[in-house]
């Protein structure tokens, strides 16, 4: 986003925030908590996994939920805080009511506004019972003494009161309602996607003030310079997704006709791996109901493309992605089936080349080496364009070198 747009956005929020300035009382600290049932804690663990709490609230190699991870936004970095039950630095002295207010309204125990990086615009739809279960789960984690670094946001966005304006404009509080036109599984999936999984935080386009654009739910968005493809009728997937293939992808991070979850989606599928199958099936039912049912036959690789890029591909990539490579023969899909190669932006292809898919110790998950350190920006751009020309019938991308520069700046 351009600097001018961010400044305009900041000024707009400052004005609305000043007008909307409301005082929120502190909720008194508590010293003891109810004893939680095993079932409630277990249910809270599942919801926390679908809600990715530990993905944001855990620093690299840090204690789970102890915070300290910087979440990049177009405006600056916001650090996820310590949500372990440590009484001084965590939420150990938060009552369930204080926790519920943070999840529903984005107000912390002391009465300060929280940045919507915490997906409270989604969590606001969670049921009382589900919020209570997540509270029970967090309150029974080991406490960690840890304070997150200060956020890096420009003035006036570093003034929390501007969020009063943001909430006035963009937070629509209130419970989730089932749609009687659909069955129980669809409704369960809709609830989990909207109220807990916050898939739209990445898969919905955002406006200049960082809110999800209304009327464009799951129409394709951005996450940390990755393109998060549409999960509805605009899906660029070459083989249409079905309920069964979506469930496979979400549970394992890999699906034989579409490929692997990479970038910010890897952490999402890692978390979903432990979630009960009925919930995965429900999410898949709901998403599949919005996806296109047919798609044109894919090309399976064409000759041609820039010869320099073809040589890099032959040396660096074909050992795994070539048509007779062991990986391809063992069932990995052709790059022609890859959504990132067929997407409207080159961001995914560029990120794949720069970062690959990280090695995850102890998991039998797909791995691809990163090439960011060995290829120049020009080579990365040529290679991305080559993938498009060779494996997709969609028109060439036009903005490849600029997107490479952007991705390098952020990685
Ligand atoms: C996309 C990243 C992200 C995800 C996912 C996320 N959070 Fe957060 N959360 C944050 C950030 C960043 C903050 C700090 C916001 C601020 O400083 O205003 C925060 C703050 C909080 C707070 C307030 C803590 C305090 O000390 O003020 C609570 C409670 C919380 N999160 C709970 C959760 C729970 C429960 C989940 C999962 C259901 C969750 N979060 C998922 C990023 C995230
Ligand atoms: C933190 C951001 C983020 C969140 C949250 C997120 N996704 Fe994704 N998702 C991505 C990105 C980025 C990609 C592209 C990954 C790639 O290119 O391999 C992706 C890819 C996908 C794909 C593959 C699409 C295709 O056509 O290839 C599906 C399906 C998907 N996500 C479903 C979901 C669902 C369902 C949820 C909520 C439960 C969700 N995602 C939450 C970022 C996210
Ligand atoms: C050591 C094996 C290996 C090498 C070398 C390798 N990759 Fe990959 N790549 C993988 C695996 C595994 C996946 C995930 C499975 C899949 O999607 O087929 C993947 C996925 C991809 C995808 C995304 C497909 C999808 O899921 O949407 C792209 C694009 C890609 N690779 C491009 C490249 C390029 C370009 C090179 C060379 C610079 C390269 N790869 C080198 C193993 C490799």
């Amino acid at each position: 986003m351009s600097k001018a747009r961010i400044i305009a956005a900041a000024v707009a929020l400052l004005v609305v925030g000043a007008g909307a300035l409301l005082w929120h009382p502190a909720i008194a600290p508590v010293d003891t908590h109810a004893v939680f049932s095993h079932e409630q804690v277990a249910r809270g663990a599942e919801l926390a996994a679908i809600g990715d709490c530990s993905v944001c609230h855990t620093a690299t190699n840090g204690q789970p939920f102890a915070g300290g991870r910087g979440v990049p936004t177009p405006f600056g970095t916001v650090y996820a805080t310590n949500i372990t039950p440590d009484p001084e630095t965590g939420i150990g002295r938060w009552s369930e009511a204080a926790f519920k207010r943070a999840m529903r309204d984005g107000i912390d125990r002391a009465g300060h506004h929280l940045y919507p990086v915490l997906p409270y615009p989604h969590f606001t739809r969670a049921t009382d019972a589900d919020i209570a279960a997540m509270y029970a789960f967090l309150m029974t984690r080991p406490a960690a003494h840890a304070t997150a670094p200060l956020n890096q946001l420009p003035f006036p966005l570093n003034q929390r009161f501007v969020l009063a304006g943001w909430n006035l404009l963009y937070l629509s509080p209130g419970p989730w309602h089932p749609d009687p036109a659909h069955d129980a599984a669809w409704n369960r999936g809709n609830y989990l996607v909207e109220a807990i999984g916050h898939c739209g935080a990445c898969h919905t386009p955002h406006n200049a003030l960082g809110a999800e654009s209304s009327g464009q739910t799951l129409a394709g968005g951005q996450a940390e310079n990755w393109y998060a493809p549409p999960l509805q009728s605009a899906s660029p997937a070459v083989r249409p997704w079905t309920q069964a293939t979506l469930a496979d992808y979400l549970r394992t991070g890999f699906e034989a006709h579409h490929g692997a979850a990479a970038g910010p989606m890897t952490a999402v599928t890692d978390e979903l791996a432990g979630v009960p199958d009925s919930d995965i099936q429900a999410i898949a039912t709901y998403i599949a109901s919005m996806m296109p049912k047919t798609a044109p036959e894919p090309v399976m690789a064409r000759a041609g493309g820039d010869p320099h890029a073809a040589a890099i591909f032959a040396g660096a990539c074909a050992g795994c992605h070539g048509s007779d490579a062991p990986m391809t023969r063992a069932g990995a899909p052709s790059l022609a089936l890859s959504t990132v190669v067929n997407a409207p932006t080159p961001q995914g292809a560029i990120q794949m080349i720069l970062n690959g898919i990280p090695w995850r110790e102890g998991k039998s998950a797909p791995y691809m080496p990163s090439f960011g350190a060995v290829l120049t920006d020009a080579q990365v751009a040529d290679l991305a364009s080559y993938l498009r020309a060779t494996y997709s019938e969609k028109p060439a991308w036009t903005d490849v070198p600029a997107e490479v520069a952007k991705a390098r700046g952020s990685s």
Side-chain angles (χ1 to χ4, degrees):
M1 197 179 307
S2 78
K3 213 167 173 185
R5 279 187 84 195
I6 291 180
I7 293 171
V11 170
L13 272 186
L14 186 64
V15 173
V16 186
L21 196 57
L22 296 172
W23 179 73
H24 300 279
I27 295 179
V30 291
D31 288 319
T32 51
H33 295 287
V35 176
F36 305 106
S37 75
H38 174 74
E39 288 71 35
Q40 197 182 25
V41 171
R43 189 65 202 130
E46 289 159 15
L47 292 160
I50 300 173
D52 299 327
C53 319
S54 80
V55 175
C56 286
H57 284 277
T58 308
T60 312
N61 301 323
Q63 180 176 329
F65 307 104
R69 180 176 163 217
V71 185
T73 76
F75 310 100
T77 303
V78 181
Y79 287 88
T81 43
N82 181 352
I83 54 170
T84 71
D86 183 59
E88 274 95 47
T89 60
I91 59 169
R93 303 188 74 208
W94 288 39
S95 61
E96 190 184 310
F99 180 75
K100 191 180 289 175
R101 184 170 72 169
M103 297 289 277
R104 290 255 169 89
D105 307 328
I107 311 277
D108 74 3
R109 192 195 61 71
H112 305 125
H113 282 282
L114 293 161
Y115 289 98
V117 181
L118 158 68
Y120 65 84
H122 288 275
F123 298 157
T124 190
R125 307 254 181 281
T127 63
D128 284 348
D130 281 357
I131 292 182
M134 289 189 265
Y135 179 73
F137 170 69
L138 290 173
M139 285 300 164
T140 49
R141 295 310 91 203
H145 195 85
T147 304
L150 291 179
N151 295 332
Q152 288 157 9
L153 292 167
F155 179 83
L157 294 179
N158 58 3
Q159 304 295 305
R160 290 183 180 268
F161 80 86
V162 302
L163 294 166
W166 195 94
N167 288 343
L168 195 69
L169 294 172
Y170 301 119
L171 176 65
S172 70
W176 170 86
H177 294 290
D179 181 344
H182 291 279
D183 66 9
W186 187 97
N187 274 300
R188 176 75 185 152
N190 175 276
Y191 171 77
L192 291 173
V193 163
E194 288 304 322
I196 311 283
H198 63 274
C199 316
C202 298
H203 287 277
T204 298
H206 284 61
N207 68 19
L209 290 170
E212 290 174 30
S213 305
S214 61
Q216 296 193 59
T217 304
L218 302 177
Q222 295 284 322
E224 298 166 35
N225 259 316
W226 282 76
Y227 177 66
L231 300 179
Q232 31 79 298
S233 54
S235 164
V238 179
R239 289 260 170 89
W241 286 98
T242 61
Q243 197 269 351
T245 53
L246 278 166
D248 249 21
Y249 175 90
L250 293 171
R251 195 181 324 93
T252 65
F254 178 78
E255 199 286 308
H257 298 106
H258 296 88
M265 191 60 199
T266 308
V268 176
T269 54
D270 280 357
E271 290 288 306
L272 291 177
V275 164
D277 194 51
S278 58
D279 280 348
I280 301 283
Q281 298 294 344
I283 294 174
T285 299
Y286 169 63
I287 300 285
S289 76
M290 298 183 292
M291 291 284 214
K293 305 287 176 271
T294 54
E297 265 307 296
V299 287
M300 291 322 275
R302 288 186 298 218
D306 168 43
H308 294 291
I312 301 173
F313 186 86
C317 321
C320 292
H321 290 292
S323 55
D324 54 357
M327 184 176 102
T328 310
R329 277 191 273 140
S334 159
L335 288 176
L337 295 179
S338 159
T339 298
V340 305
V341 175
N342 289 284
T345 94
Q347 280 175 320
I350 292 167
Q351 292 285 6
M352 285 300 308
I353 298 169
L354 291 178
N355 301 314
I357 304 175
W359 177 254
R360 279 160 288 160
E361 204 59 57
K363 286 213 170 89
S364 73
Y367 160 74
M368 171 171 149
S370 63
F371 293 89
V374 292
L375 298 177
T376 65
D377 285 15
Q379 287 172 324
V380 173
D382 290 349
L383 199 46
S385 302
Y386 171 81
L387 294 181
R388 181 74 159 189
T390 317
Y391 290 102
S392 175
E393 261 162 357
K394 304 256 165 74
W397 291 309
T398 51
D399 46 356
V400 185
E403 286 292 348
V404 174
K406 232 167 80 187
R408 286 278 201 195
S410 73
S411 56

